[in-house]
């Protein structure tokens, strides 16, 4: 049981979107049977990422997305012909993996924290892997 990789299938709906996947990750942790350990979360894409941030006020996520387009504009004379360099750069800024502690079979998160899948070049069908190990 320890060591299985769970796959989360995620359908995004917008060009840029932060999707709260905490409950999906928590389900994988529960199904793993691991009580004390680490959940590692990895997404298989070059134009998406993962982050942990506030879930209480939805305007926080809106502000993150609004400012990201200013930091890394959609069009800025990029050379990559596919036309999605902005999304590739955002992916590297955020990173494609996260680790969270698991205790008592549950993920440890702060009161206001959620795990977000970050879409930077949607809408697309995406995959997130979760592996939970004892330690
Ligand atoms: Zn590309």
């Amino acid at each position: 049981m320890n060591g299985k990789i769970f796959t989360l299938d995620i359908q995004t709906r917008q060009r840029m979107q932060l999707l709260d996947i905490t409950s999906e990750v928590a389900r994988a942790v529960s199904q793993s049977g691991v009580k004390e350990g680490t959940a590692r979360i990895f997404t298989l894409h070059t134009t998406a990422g993962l982050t942990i941030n506030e879930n209480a006020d939805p305007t926080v996520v809106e502000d993150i997305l609004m400012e990201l387009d200013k930091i890394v504009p959609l069009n800025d004379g990029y050379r990559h012909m596919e036309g999605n360099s902005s999304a590739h750069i955002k992916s590297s800024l955020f990173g494609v993996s996260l680790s969270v502690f698991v205790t008592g079979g549950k993920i440890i998160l702060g009161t206001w924290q959620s795990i977000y899948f970050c879409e930077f070049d949607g809408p697309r069908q995406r995959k997130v892997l979760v592996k939970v190990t004892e330690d």
Side-chain angles (χ1 to χ4, degrees):
M1 196 182 290
N2 190 15
K4 182 184 176 198
I5 297 174
F6 295 85
T7 302
L8 312 181
D9 290 303
I10 294 168
Q11 176 67 55
T12 62
R13 306 276 171 209
Q14 294 157 24
R15 179 177 65 87
M16 293 224 300
Q17 187 175 10
L18 264 60
L19 276 172
D20 188 337
I21 59 167
T22 310
S23 61
E24 288 83 352
V25 176
R27 190 175 313 126
V29 169
S30 172
Q31 289 173 358
S32 77
V34 173
K35 299 298 179 200
E36 304 298 324
T38 306
R40 282 173 287 167
I41 309 157
F42 180 82
T43 189
L44 296 167
H45 309 285
T46 62
T47 56
L50 295 167
T51 196
I52 293 176
N53 215 304
E54 175 167 333
N55 58 25
D57 181 352
T59 62
V60 171
V61 160
E62 291 171 17
D63 284 348
I64 290 170
L65 293 175
M66 180 177 75
E67 290 305 300
L68 266 179
D69 264 346
K70 294 181 189 168
I71 297 165
V72 189
L74 201 52
N75 299 298
D76 199 20
Y78 303 119
R79 293 184 290 177
H80 175 49
M81 292 302 288
E82 196 187 6
N84 60 356
S85 275
S86 171
H88 286 294
I89 294 164
K90 289 163 185 159
S91 173
S92 278
L93 286 175
F94 276 61
V96 293
S97 65
L98 289 174
S99 290
V100 289
F101 298 122
V102 172
T103 191
K106 294 187 187 312
I107 301 164
I108 301 177
L109 286 170
T111 305
W112 310 113
Q113 287 181 318
S114 275
I115 302 166
Y116 286 95
F117 177 82
C118 310
E119 176 62 80
F120 300 127
D121 193 28
R124 289 179 190 248
Q125 185 70 39
R126 301 296 204 173
K127 287 192 186 299
V128 173
L129 307 183
V130 181
K131 185 169 183 177
V132 194
T133 50
E134 289 175 24
D135 55 30

